[in-house]
Amino acid sequence: MPPSLPATINIREPRWDQSTFQGRAKHFFMVTDPRNLLLSGATLEEARRVVEDYRAGTVPPGLTEDQLWRAKYIYDSAFHPDTGEKMLLVGRMSAQVPMNMTITGCMLTFYRTTPAVLFWQWVNQSFNAIVNYTNRSGDAPITPSQLGTAYVSATTGAVVTALGLKSLTKHLPAIIGRYVPFAAVAAANCINIPLMRQRELKLGIPITDENGNRLGESTAAAQKAIFQVVVSRIGMAAPAMAIPPVIMNALEKRAFLKRYPYLNAPLQVGLWVSLHPLYLCPLGSSMPVSRLEPEVQARIQEKDPGLETVYFNKGL
């Protein structure tokens, strides 16, 4: 009979070292695996049971370490890390690759007409609103009016930016016009993410020590988390939206794409998949206790006077 699995494995953290590029790549390849979208409700609930039992100190008989980590990644792909609620299917990380590659490819392909710009920016911001809500940090609820305000503001910002830049680039080289979608996405991220997560800025997000023990909520941590997410979103979009225009502009001048124009969109999608660096940014973050609000610092000093650093889930 195989030895029982020890109850000391820290499944609150990723399996691989997140301080290395390779570790983050392995972690995000697991979390964003599109096959997780096809898992049944029973499989998700079984993964939840295994993870919650293990965290509570109960090790199911016969459970192997690989099975435990598999359950942990199934759980992470479908359940919110702070609230534990099952996330919207389209907003899960496992939906990122198929959804983003399709929407981004279409934005980069259909940018020449105003109706196309309007439609694909609306589709993109609708998807972003779902993703931002689904992957928000903390467990504070957000009201329908706040959701509506964030959605309308971000969509309007993206469309106005896209149409404004489109009109300015009419008389410039064609390659400049190809960067309009990226500029619109960057502007929308600066609007959408803070608005969608405005409640975190008011109430704070959970902060913990290095062992995952909750210490309270911090608005300073929320500000840092949201800033990091805005920057990382723009940074992640840059290679996939800034490099393909150069490649496609060169390819469209050749006879091959002129002969087979229907390959334009599939090529854009393929370039997005090959260039999108989702795994460059770790999900967790930290900050010194000295950077927190004075009242939060005081509470932490009472609990653990020697604590110097707190940790939090910044969202994605």
Side-chain angles (χ1 to χ4, degrees):
M1 184 175 180
S4 178
L5 190 68
T8 55
I9 300 173
N10 185 8
I11 59 170
R12 294 185 183 278
E13 297 296 329
R15 186 174 190 176
W16 298 279
D17 182 5
Q18 294 301 281
S19 65
T20 67
F21 175 85
Q22 184 180 28
R24 291 196 296 272
K26 288 181 177 179
H27 171 68
F28 276 103
F29 282 144
M30 288 292 290
V31 172
T32 61
D33 187 346
R35 293 175 298 178
N36 288 337
L37 294 173
L38 304 177
L39 297 176
S40 66
T43 301
L44 297 180
E45 290 301 327
E46 174 63 16
R48 186 216 285 264
R49 184 190 63 78
V50 170
V51 168
E52 292 180 346
D53 285 352
Y54 189 84
R55 287 176 178 173
T58 303
V59 181
L63 182 70
T64 66
E65 184 172 351
D66 285 340
Q67 289 172 337
L68 175 63
W69 282 111
R70 174 59 180 159
K72 177 258 195 310
Y73 275 103
I74 291 176
Y75 177 86
D76 285 352
S77 75
F79 297 95
H80 193 277
D82 293 327
T83 66
E85 67 182 7
K86 186 180 290 186
M87 296 186 288
L88 298 171
L89 187 70
V90 176
R92 296 176 191 173
M93 294 315 301
S94 45
Q96 289 295 293
V97 172
M99 293 297 296
N100 258 323
M101 72 179 187
T102 302
I103 295 172
T104 303
C106 288
M107 281 197 298
L108 292 173
T109 303
F110 307 111
Y111 66 93
R112 291 185 174 88
T113 67
T114 298
V117 170
L118 286 170
F119 176 74
W120 286 109
Q121 287 297 333
W122 168 73
V123 169
N124 185 52
Q125 290 314 311
S126 298
F127 174 64
N128 282 344
I130 295 173
V131 171
N132 291 337
Y133 172 74
T134 303
N135 295 281
R136 67 198 182 281
S137 177
D139 48 15
I142 185 168
T143 66
S145 62
Q146 291 170 331
L147 279 173
T149 299
Y151 172 67
V152 172
S153 300
T155 303
T156 302
V159 169
V160 168
T161 301
L163 293 181
L165 290 176
K166 184 174 181 297
S167 64
L168 291 174
T169 58
K170 282 182 179 178
H171 305 294
L172 295 176
I175 190 171
I176 302 299
R178 288 182 177 273
Y179 286 99
V180 168
F182 174 57
V185 166
N189 276 328
C190 294
I191 300 170
N192 195 330
I193 295 170
L195 281 173
M196 189 63 68
R197 298 176 59 175
Q198 59 186 291
R199 193 170 179 82
E200 298 172 31
L201 295 172
K202 296 176 182 177
L203 301 178
I205 60 174
I207 53 175
T208 69
D209 61 18
E210 60 182 0
N211 297 317
N213 299 312
R214 187 162 174 165
L215 302 170
E217 290 76 34
S218 169
T219 55
Q223 293 170 11
K224 181 177 181 178
I226 291 172
F227 174 76
Q228 288 180 332
V229 169
V230 170
V231 172
S232 65
R233 284 283 189 89
I234 295 173
M236 287 190 295
M241 297 191 77
I243 298 175
V246 178
I247 298 173
M248 294 305 299
N249 197 62
L251 288 177
E252 286 185 354
K253 294 177 182 179
R254 300 182 179 276
F256 177 75
L257 271 186
K258 290 180 179 179
R259 189 180 308 163
Y260 306 106
Y262 55 84
L263 293 179
N264 194 306
L267 280 173
Q268 296 274 19
V269 170
L271 287 170
W272 183 93
V273 173
S274 61
L275 294 169
H276 196 275
L278 181 63
Y279 40 84
L280 288 178
C281 305
L283 190 59
S285 188
S286 63
M287 66 188 302
V289 172
S290 59
R291 300 282 299 277
L292 300 172
E293 307 93 296
E295 62 274 17
V296 178
Q297 291 185 44
R299 289 199 298 270
I300 291 176
Q301 290 300 319
E302 290 178 6
K303 295 180 179 178
D304 188 348
L307 190 66
E308 296 182 355
T309 304
V310 295
Y311 303 85
F312 54 89
N313 168 32
K314 68 181 176 63
L316 194 65

